[in-house]
Amino acid sequence: MADVNHVILIGRLTRDAELKYLGSGTAVLNFSIASNSKKKQGDQWIDEASFFDVVLYGKQGESVNQYMTKGKQIAIEGRLHQRRWEQDGQSRSKVEIVADNVQLLGGGNQQTAPDHQPSKPAAPDVQPGTFPDDVPW
């Protein structure tokens, strides 16, 4: 069986995206998203945020850069990648998401998505308490 490395997330940008270029001229768009979930703590449901660093290479990064502002809701599809380097004699590493596709969903600022990037509707919210407590997952 082949290994699978596939990530799909919907979240909000935690800061404005940063567009840079490699020596080869390839665009690199770096940004971070927060993806919220609910967690039951005692008898109450609380919000819990997870934060992810994302990198998007190439022309899509250039074309969506102007719309990638703090608070904007986006969907990303890509893969996990672990970068490794050495700093001050210490081995370091960082896991980030390398995006293959970014969809602008709305929310945050109210700019319109570019014509070539159709927005998908956000996944429906599942309200806490929708499932009985005895469901094994």
Side-chain angles (χ1 to χ4, degrees), residues 124-135:
D125 289 332
V126 176
Q127 297 301 317
T130 303
F131 302 106
D133 289 336
D134 61 345
V135 175

Side-chain angles (χ1 to χ4, degrees), residues 15-35:
R15 58 183 164 81
D16 292 353
E18 297 175 26
L19 180 64
K20 296 180 181 178
Y21 292 89
L22 300 176
S24 63
T26 302
V28 180
L29 188 66
N30 290 293
F31 55 96
S32 296
I33 66 167
S35 183

Side-chain angles (χ1 to χ4, degrees), residues 70-99:
K70 182 177 179 175
K72 185 76 168 173
Q73 187 179 39
I74 64 169
I76 61 168
E77 182 177 6
R79 61 187 169 82
L80 294 176
H81 176 75
Q82 184 177 20
R83 286 193 301 135
R84 295 180 180 108
W85 70 96
E86 195 167 302
Q87 181 179 355
D88 300 327
Q90 297 288 321
S91 294
R92 313 279 281 179
S93 70
K94 176 181 180 178
V95 176
E96 59 192 4
I97 298 168
V98 176

Side-chain angles (χ1 to χ4, degrees), residues 8-50:
I8 299 173
L9 288 173
I10 294 176
R12 294 192 181 271
L13 293 165
T14 61
R15 58 183 164 81
D16 292 353
E18 297 175 26
L19 180 64
K20 296 180 181 178
Y21 292 89
L22 300 176
S24 63
T26 302
V28 180
L29 188 66
N30 290 293
F31 55 96
S32 296
I33 66 167
S35 183
N36 295 318
S37 60
K38 299 254 185 213
K39 174 175 125 176
K40 194 167 188 178
Q41 190 173 46
D43 292 337
Q44 293 186 337
W45 288 91
I46 59 170
D47 289 328
E48 183 175 73
S50 295

Side-chain angles (χ1 to χ4, degrees), residues 47-77:
D47 289 328
E48 183 175 73
S50 295
F51 299 90
F52 304 97
D53 290 328
V54 184
V55 61
L56 176 63
Y57 293 96
K59 296 214 180 280
Q60 188 180 21
E62 288 178 311
S63 64
V64 299
N65 177 48
Q66 64 182 330
Y67 303 99
M68 302 283 283
T69 56
K70 182 177 179 175
K72 185 76 168 173
Q73 187 179 39
I74 64 169
I76 61 168
E77 182 177 6

Side-chain angles (χ1 to χ4, degrees), residues 99-120:
D100 296 320
N101 189 24
V102 172
Q103 297 291 318
L104 304 171
L105 299 178
N109 65 25
Q110 297 301 316
Q111 294 179 339
T112 306
D115 292 337
H116 66 284
Q117 287 293 326
S119 294
K120 289 188 215 174

